[in-house]
Amino acid sequence: MAKLAGVSIATASKALNGQPQVRAETRARVVQAAEHLSFSPNTLAQGLITQRSGTVGLLTSDLEGRFSIPILMGAEDAFGSDQTSVFLCDARGDNVREKHHLRALLSRRVDGLIVVGARPDARPSLGRDLPVPVIYAYSPSDDPADLSLVTDNIGGGRLAVDHLIRHGRRRIAHITGDATYGAAQDRASGALARLADEGLALAGDQVWFGSWSEAWGRGATRMLLQRSPDIDAIFAGSDEIARGVLDVLHQSDLEVPSQVAVIGFDNWNILAANARPPLSTIDMNLEQLGRLAAQRLFAAIDGTLGSGVETVSCRLVTRESV
């Protein structure tokens, strides 16, 4: 290629790598020669020089999961913009499989790792002795020295109840999922804090913890209506629960939203958009979480790795149920 362009190999290399010392007409001649010969750089050789492979590992525990896929999509979008290749591995929640994938990724000399958990609770750290930087997304590391990116579930709970209050609702109940999930507790904490700001009590006198299912939404709503038939809004801790809530409100001849408003959480479009009426909900901004994880990994590869926990704010998606 250098011979065709009439320049030295060093000049051809500088031209292709955008070095400023090369004149514009020389650069154009080298590029034209490269196109004519269908030349592409040898990434292995480049890696030996830069000590980088141009690859990263995405290690997940729940590839089929509702929440991990948007995170991975956001990260891959950010990596693609930097022409970084991605090795994706699914540990399926198995520690032995995770260790196997970790060894395989490191053997391929990835430049860094993003670890995506299956649920938004702390997970064991991969340790501090790895040769590459690691970012934890959705599920934070249990080691505060690691950098973890999570959704602001407390803020999401506040946002949901604030939306109901701004629409004139005062007798607001909360039905949510498994009490062992930190996300369920955080969303409830945010909701209760926003109610307290207005001097309002929680309708039904308790947070209704249960399972992340439509069946629980139906069962809890029946019990709630028996205890507090005058409720005017329900904040559901997930869109699945909210669908069950809507079923019972319809069966009880309570109009949504004129008599009882309903808001969900997750913005699971197939559930929220197709609910009757379409469901207002809180979106966890998971693709943004993935993009931010990729950006933080880029910075870490360049030598700037933070620590602690960073949160990504939720956003409100309004539809007809409020």
Side-chain angles (χ1 to χ4, degrees):
M1 180 193 65
K3 183 177 180 180
L4 180 62
V7 299
S8 68
I9 293 176
T11 298
S13 177
K14 291 176 182 178
L16 290 174
N17 287 291
Q19 298 297 317
Q21 309 94 303
V22 182
R23 292 183 299 177
E25 58 269 25
T26 302
R27 190 187 313 280
R29 198 162 65 250
V30 171
V31 170
Q32 184 178 15
E35 292 175 348
H36 177 75
L37 295 172
S38 299
F39 171 83
S40 62
N42 186 315
T43 55
L44 179 59
Q46 288 179 327
L48 292 173
I49 296 171
T50 64
Q51 296 298 303
R52 294 184 184 177
S53 65
T55 62
V56 298
L58 288 176
L59 182 58
T60 180
S61 295
D62 186 26
L63 188 58
E64 297 181 357
R66 158 70 183 89
F67 306 112
S68 59
I69 293 297
I71 296 171
L72 299 176
M73 290 174 61
E76 286 192 303
D77 284 347
F79 287 135
S81 66
D82 193 61
Q83 296 184 333
T84 298
S85 299
V86 179
F87 291 126
L88 177 60
C89 297
D90 181 14
R92 305 179 193 174
D94 184 328
N95 289 335
V96 174
R97 189 184 297 268
E98 181 177 85
K99 291 177 182 178
H100 165 74
H101 285 317
L102 178 60
R103 288 193 297 269
L105 289 167
L106 293 177
S107 72
R108 286 166 172 77
R109 301 180 61 83
V110 294
D111 296 325
L113 295 165
I114 293 179
V115 180
V116 181
R119 56 183 283 180
D121 293 311
R123 54 146 291 147
S125 172
L126 294 180
R128 304 186 189 182
D129 299 325
L130 296 178
V132 297
V134 182
I135 307 294
Y136 296 83
Y138 192 60
S139 298
S141 167
D142 61 3
D143 185 346
D146 292 328
L147 177 59
S148 302
L149 306 178
V150 300
T151 294
D152 182 7
N153 281 293
I154 294 176
R158 289 187 63 94
L159 186 61
V161 171
D162 178 74
H163 184 63
L164 295 171
I165 289 171
R166 286 189 291 105
H167 280 74
R169 309 299 168 146
R170 292 294 180 268
R171 298 180 299 281
I172 301 169
H174 184 32
I175 298 172
T176 192
D178 190 338
T180 67
Y181 275 61
Q185 297 289 347
D186 287 346
R187 292 168 194 176
S189 295
L192 291 171
R194 183 66 187 91
L195 287 170
D197 290 344
E198 297 292 321
L200 298 174
L202 185 66
D205 300 323
Q206 69 178 73
V207 175
W208 299 81
F209 290 104
S211 64
W212 304 101
S213 68
E214 291 186 37
W216 167 242
R218 288 190 290 270
T221 304
R222 292 189 187 100
M223 292 186 287
L224 174 63
L225 290 175
Q226 289 177 356
R227 179 177 294 186
S228 301
D230 62 342
I231 59 169
D232 61 11
I234 297 175
F235 166 34
S238 76
D239 293 340
E240 286 187 81
I241 292 172
R243 286 286 293 259
V245 170
L246 289 173
D247 287 345
V248 172
L249 293 176
H250 294 321
Q251 292 166 7
S252 303
D253 295 324
L254 292 170
E255 293 186 3
V256 179
S258 60
Q259 291 179 274
V260 181
V262 178
I263 191 168
F265 208 107
D266 297 335
N267 194 27
W268 192 348
N269 193 63
I270 195 170
L271 292 180
N274 295 308
R276 185 169 59 91
L279 185 65
S280 291
T281 183
I282 302 298
D283 189 305
M284 290 189 287
N285 261 341
L286 295 179
E287 288 196 31
Q288 175 59 24
L289 182 66
R291 285 189 289 272
L292 183 61
Q295 292 165 8
R296 293 291 182 269
L297 188 59
F298 285 143
I301 292 169
D302 286 334
T304 307
L305 177 60
S307 62
V309 178
E310 293 186 30
T311 58
V312 172
S313 297
C314 297
R315 67 184 182 92
L316 174 68
V317 178
T318 57
R319 297 189 177 94
E320 297 175 23
S321 65
V322 176

